[in-house]
Amino acid sequence: MRPFRSRLTFILMIMIGVTILGAGIVMGKVFKDSHIEVLEDNMYREIMLLSSTFEFHSIVGEEAVQYYSTEARKIGDQTNSRVTFIDHNGDVIGDSESNADQMDNHKGRKEIQSADKKNIGYSIRYSSTLGQDMLYVAAPVKSGNLYDGYIRLSVSLKSVDEGMRRAWTLVAVWLIVLFAVAAIVSYRVAGSLTSPLEKITKVARRFSHLDYTARVKVERHDEVGQLSHAINIMADSLQTQLKIIQDNEDLLQSVLDNMTGGIVMIDDKDNIAMVNPFAEKTLGIRSSQLLGKSYLEMKQHYELSKIFKAGVSHREPIHEERTLYNPDEKIIRLDGVPMNAGDGPYKGMLFLFQDVTAIRRLENMRSEFVANVSHELKTPVAAVKGFSETLLAGGVKDEKTARSFLQIIYDESERLNRLIGDILELSKIESKRIPLSFSPVHLSSFVASMLEMMEAVAEKKRISLQAEVPEELYMEADEDKLRQILMNLLANAINYTQDGGRVKVVVEHHERSEEEETISFTVTDTGMGIPKKDLPRIFERFYRVDKARSRISGGTGLGLSIVKHLVDLHQGSLSVESELNIGSSFRVELPMLQDSE
């Protein structure tokens, strides 16, 4: 905006300068013309005075030239002008400054011709005799028979030119002064005109850099003030719209970042336009390396690229399911949707990813659960049916054998009952349909009661039961569920420990932080141990390390699964350490204070 202020100042100065110069020229012309008019009037009056007072003589020839030339010099000295006497034929008979005999005929001179017509003649021309501009004034004079001709006075315009030079010098000085004053005034005037525009330009420039907080501070009520007010209103509107857009973008970005599904957008040029974090994690890619590039560069997922190509080529909805390895196996459901704004042009394809690995795993687990339940139920049912048919057929006459068969039927029905009970219990726990009732539990007496309940079973195998529990230790828990946890762990420890072994329960208090305290229950046995390959799966339903021994011991294969789900309900953790032929150690860690909600 500074150049505009300078240009405006320069234009104002040019206008002022031209105006002053034009005024000076006009004034100079008027001054010169008025000066010359005054000279003409004075010279005419002098001619009239001379014609009435001069002593004319009726002489001719050389005598007339000598007389009139002498008188002309006298008059010229007195009037400080050149005096010329010209007869009616135009011949010069006397001149105050030149030899009349050598002068041309003046009948054709402008001032003489004008004097014939108007009784007075004026003329300004360059005198070759004197070498300067001269003003000539002539008038016809007739004095009876003594003189019939013209008297002409002429003066040099040198004084007029000098006066004009002095005037122009003065005008030039004042012009410079006025130019300086005009420059200052023009600059200030231009500044007052352009300063609001400069402010508006600065604000507009900030708008171009997306800074809509800028405002124009111009307190004026003219058109510039109205423009400033309109720009401020526009800025308010833009700022509001930008805030709405930014909020929507933040909301959309938050949705994209926190989606549990992946999104890959391919534009109409077959380039990847967007990849959300879930898709990056699932596919093992980085959006920064793929954005703006062709989807064909996703070479690590060939099958995926084929689906992309099919969707982009046909521009129709597509639904596929693929297994990816990155490096773990993942089952991905892929839905492709073409992006068309109504009946508008095609804008690309939007592909939605959903990791269905857990869902498929659960489906497999359900199938396995049904198969396992069927298998587990089939064995006791078949035994009951077989022995029952034998007894009904009357093939067993021996009472002792019959009682043996009946005992087997009773044991299998008991096992079937326990199995069905564990299945129902596990189903309740998994569906979270059983409420937890928390109350303070004195752990020392609680563990003692548990060992007392299991003592009879342990004595049959001469297994030693031990406990280490601080006497003053309490915790909040659902006592029945906690009893079920320890009962299952102790039963497993006793069942899988050889005769003469040892089972020990250790309860400890841990302070993780000022706000977090936990209680750990560790059940250690000296049994057969668990192979390392089986450790990750021992909490699965119906999973048995030694199936034959598990059935002989009366286990249903659901005990540890029930323990795992009950520990989860208490917001705790369950871990196991084991070595073959040395023993196993199960550790349950529960929060000391439970959240009753």
Side-chain angles (χ1 to χ4, degrees):
M1 193 59 68
R2 293 289 179 181
F4 177 66
R5 177 184 292 190
S6 301
R7 288 197 302 272
L8 183 58
T9 303
F10 181 73
I11 291 171
L12 292 174
M13 290 179 63
I14 291 295
M15 292 176 62
I16 294 173
V18 169
T19 302
I20 294 175
L21 184 61
I25 293 174
V26 172
M27 289 177 62
K29 183 72 168 64
V30 171
F31 173 76
K32 184 175 182 179
D33 291 346
S34 63
H35 193 181
I36 290 174
E37 286 179 4
V38 171
L39 285 176
E40 289 174 349
D41 291 341
N42 290 337
M43 291 170 68
Y44 177 72
R45 285 194 294 270
E46 289 177 355
I47 290 173
M48 292 298 100
L49 180 63
L50 184 61
S51 64
S52 61
T53 59
F54 185 73
E55 187 177 350
F56 294 99
H57 294 281
S58 179
I59 53 178
V60 294
E62 187 67 28
E63 184 179 358
V65 170
Q66 183 177 2
Y67 172 76
Y68 283 105
S69 295
T70 301
E71 293 300 324
R73 292 188 185 93
K74 292 179 182 179
I75 297 170
D77 292 339
Q78 294 174 357
T79 60
N80 197 23
S81 60
R82 181 182 179 183
V83 181
T84 305
F85 291 96
I86 304 170
D87 64 14
H88 66 279
N89 295 320
D91 294 328
V92 178
I93 59 175
D95 190 84
S96 63
E97 295 185 7
S98 298
N99 190 348
D101 294 334
Q102 298 177 355
M103 296 179 68
D104 298 332
N105 186 283
H106 282 35
K107 190 67 176 178
R109 301 292 172 91
K110 182 178 179 181
E111 64 273 14
I112 300 301
Q113 292 179 354
S114 180
D116 286 338
K117 296 176 182 179
K118 301 177 182 179
N119 291 325
I120 186 169
Y122 306 99
S123 175
I124 297 175
R125 64 175 178 273
Y126 182 79
S127 174
S128 58
T129 305
L130 300 178
Q132 56 186 343
D133 288 336
M134 301 290 291
L135 171 61
Y136 297 94
V137 178
V141 176
K142 187 172 183 180
S143 179
N145 295 324
L146 299 177
Y147 183 80
D148 184 9
Y150 307 90
I151 297 178
R152 188 185 71 176
L153 298 181
S154 62
V155 295
S156 173
L157 293 179
K158 183 177 181 181
S159 61
V160 176
D161 292 338
E162 289 179 354
M164 289 300 298
R165 281 195 296 272
R166 288 194 299 271
W168 276 115
T169 301
L170 184 62
V171 168
V173 171
W174 279 105
L175 188 62
I176 293 172
V177 174
L178 287 175
F179 257 56
V181 174
I184 297 172
V185 174
S186 299
Y187 187 80
R188 294 182 66 86
V189 171
S192 65
L193 294 175
T194 60
S195 178
L197 298 179
E198 290 176 0
K199 295 178 180 178
I200 293 173
T201 303
K202 289 179 181 178
V203 171
R205 190 175 292 114
R206 291 175 65 180
F207 288 170
S208 66
H209 291 88
L210 304 181
D211 179 11
Y212 297 110
T213 60
R215 294 293 182 273
V216 182
K217 297 180 180 178
V218 177
E219 299 296 333
R220 299 176 63 157
H221 301 287
D222 55 4
E223 289 79 0
V224 175
Q226 295 175 5
L227 175 61
S228 303
H229 183 63
I231 287 177
N232 289 337
I233 294 176
M234 180 185 69
D236 292 337
S237 177
L238 288 174
Q239 191 173 13
T240 302
Q241 294 298 323
L242 182 63
K243 181 67 168 57
I244 294 173
I245 292 172
Q246 287 176 342
D247 291 343
N248 291 336
E249 287 183 351
D250 292 341
L251 180 60
L252 177 60
Q253 190 62 45
S254 178
V255 170
L256 292 174
D257 291 344
N258 295 284
M259 282 183 63
T260 56
I263 292 180
V264 173
M265 184 186 295
I266 299 176
D267 60 21
D268 56 344
K269 298 179 181 177
D270 297 344
N271 295 325
I272 296 177
M274 184 180 68
V275 179
N276 76 332
F278 187 88
E280 292 184 26
K281 181 180 178 181
T282 304
L283 303 179
I285 60 177
R286 288 187 179 180
S287 60
S288 58
Q289 297 176 347
L290 291 176
L291 289 180
K293 298 180 181 179
S294 173
Y295 66 88
L296 296 174
E297 295 195 16
M298 296 177 58
K299 299 177 181 178
Q300 69 269 41
H301 298 297
Y302 176 70
E303 291 294 329
L304 205 60
S305 299
K306 287 174 61 178
I307 297 175
F308 286 165
K309 186 174 182 180
V312 170
S313 300
H314 297 93
R315 298 181 180 180
E316 294 179 352
I318 188 170
H319 307 282
E320 296 286 345
E321 194 168 291
R322 289 290 186 274
T323 301
L324 303 180
Y325 300 92
N326 185 39
D328 299 330
E329 179 181 351
K330 292 182 180 179
I331 302 174
I332 301 298
R333 177 177 175 81
L334 181 65
D335 297 305
V337 182
M339 294 186 296
N340 296 319
D343 296 330
Y346 168 76
K347 294 185 178 181
M349 287 288 294
L350 181 65
F351 293 94
L352 307 177
F353 294 87
Q354 186 177 5
D355 187 353
V356 295
T357 306
I359 296 174
R360 297 294 177 262
R361 186 179 293 118
L362 286 174
E363 291 175 352
N364 292 333
M365 289 177 65
R366 289 190 183 99
S367 298
E368 291 177 0
F369 179 72
V370 172
N372 289 331
V373 168
S374 300
H375 179 73
E376 293 293 334
L377 292 176
K378 183 179 180 181
T379 301
V381 169
V384 170
K385 180 181 179 182
F387 286 108
S388 299
E389 287 177 348
T390 302
L391 292 173
L392 289 172
V396 179
K397 302 298 183 181
D398 184 15
E399 184 178 351
K400 185 177 180 181
T401 305
R403 287 184 64 83
S404 176
F405 281 14
L406 290 173
Q407 185 63 47
I408 292 172
I409 293 173
Y410 177 79
D411 292 341
E412 291 298 329
S413 64
E414 278 294 313
R415 180 168 170 243
L416 187 60
N417 185 53
R418 287 196 305 273
L419 182 59
I420 294 173
D422 285 348
I423 291 172
L424 292 175
E425 183 70 19
L426 183 60
S427 177
K428 289 181 184 178
I429 295 172
E430 286 185 339
S431 62
K432 302 187 186 318
R433 287 181 297 173
I434 53 172
L436 296 179
S437 178
F438 294 104
S439 61
V441 179
H442 183 230
L443 295 178
S444 178
S445 57
F446 174 76
V447 173
S449 66
M450 293 296 299
L451 295 181
E452 186 177 350
M453 290 174 59
M454 303 301 296
E455 188 174 357
V457 181
E459 284 181 353
K460 292 181 180 180
K461 299 179 66 176
R462 293 178 289 106
I463 294 175
S464 171
L465 297 180
Q466 301 175 6
E468 289 184 8
V469 186
E471 181 64 31
E472 73 283 358
L473 197 56
Y474 284 83
M475 73 171 295
E476 284 189 5
D478 187 318
E479 187 170 351
D480 290 337
K481 303 301 182 292
L482 186 60
R483 189 182 306 278
Q484 195 171 357
I485 291 171
L486 286 181
M487 182 73 74
N488 277 289
L489 292 178
L490 287 171
N492 273 357
I494 294 172
N495 287 336
Y496 292 101
T497 299
Q498 298 88 343
D499 294 352
R502 177 174 56 86
V503 175
K504 185 177 182 180
V505 180
V506 178
V507 181
E508 296 176 302
H509 172 241
H510 306 278
E511 286 191 16
R512 305 297 183 189
S513 65
E514 292 183 359
E515 298 179 355
E516 183 181 1
E517 297 182 49
T518 61
I519 301 293
S520 65
F521 300 83
T522 305
V523 179
T524 306
D525 61 58
T526 57
M528 64 181 66
I530 304 170
K532 288 187 178 180
K533 66 181 180 63
D534 295 313
L535 286 176
R537 301 191 61 188
I538 61 174
F539 298 109
E540 294 180 9
R541 291 167 293 188
F542 296 113
Y543 186 80
R544 296 184 177 91
V545 178
D546 187 346
K547 295 181 175 56
R549 174 135 185 202
S550 179
R551 286 194 178 94
I552 292 172
S553 65
T556 62
L558 297 175
L560 289 179
S561 182
I562 292 174
V563 170
K564 179 70 169 63
H565 284 84
L566 289 175
V567 170
D568 290 341
L569 284 178
H570 280 79
Q571 301 174 0
S573 62
L574 176 61
S575 60
V576 59
E577 295 179 0
S578 182
E579 292 187 28
L580 283 175
N581 302 320
I582 294 178
S584 302
S585 178
F586 287 83
R587 179 185 176 90
V588 176
E589 190 163 1
L590 303 177
M592 189 172 183
L593 298 176
Q594 292 287 335
D595 185 1
S596 60
E597 294 182 2

